[in-house]
Amino acid sequence: MRKLTIAGIALAAAVTAGCATTDQGALDEANATATSAEQTADKAMNTANSAASSARSAQQTADQALAAAKSAQKSADEANERAKRMLERASQK
């Protein structure tokens, strides 16, 4: 979407330049500017997509770590309960 907006602005500039003058150099420069803007927008979009992908991967890793931590906590709680029962039995003897 941004790519189209930038290209549209550059095209409008090129049309305006074409209406103001018939100088081919000005039209060529406007075209070059539009092309450069489009390439910059493409690079920005690729960077954003890569960042989004990295964020999704990091979220998945965090979710897995949280699940492992919850499992470890459950195991620790169960071990503590067993130890507590063993101590209670030992104190009754």
Side-chain angles (χ1 to χ4, degrees), residues 1-92:
M1 186 64 180
R2 289 181 189 158
K3 181 171 125 177
L4 293 175
T5 301
I6 292 170
I9 291 170
L11 181 60
V15 170
T16 302
C19 292
T21 180
T22 57
D23 182 17
Q24 187 61 42
L27 290 174
D28 291 344
E29 185 176 343
N31 269 338
T33 301
T35 300
S36 176
E38 185 176 7
Q39 290 171 349
T40 300
D42 279 340
K43 288 178 185 176
M45 184 60 77
N46 288 338
T47 300
N49 287 339
S50 178
S53 177
S54 295
R56 283 190 298 273
S57 177
Q59 179 66 48
Q60 184 178 16
T61 301
D63 289 344
Q64 290 170 349
L66 180 59
K70 285 180 179 180
S71 177
Q73 180 66 51
K74 182 179 177 186
S75 295
D77 289 345
E78 290 170 355
N80 284 337
E81 283 298 318
R82 284 192 302 273
K84 183 179 174 182
R85 286 193 302 270
M86 288 174 64
L87 285 172
E88 287 175 355
R89 282 189 220 125
S91 68
Q92 290 174 357

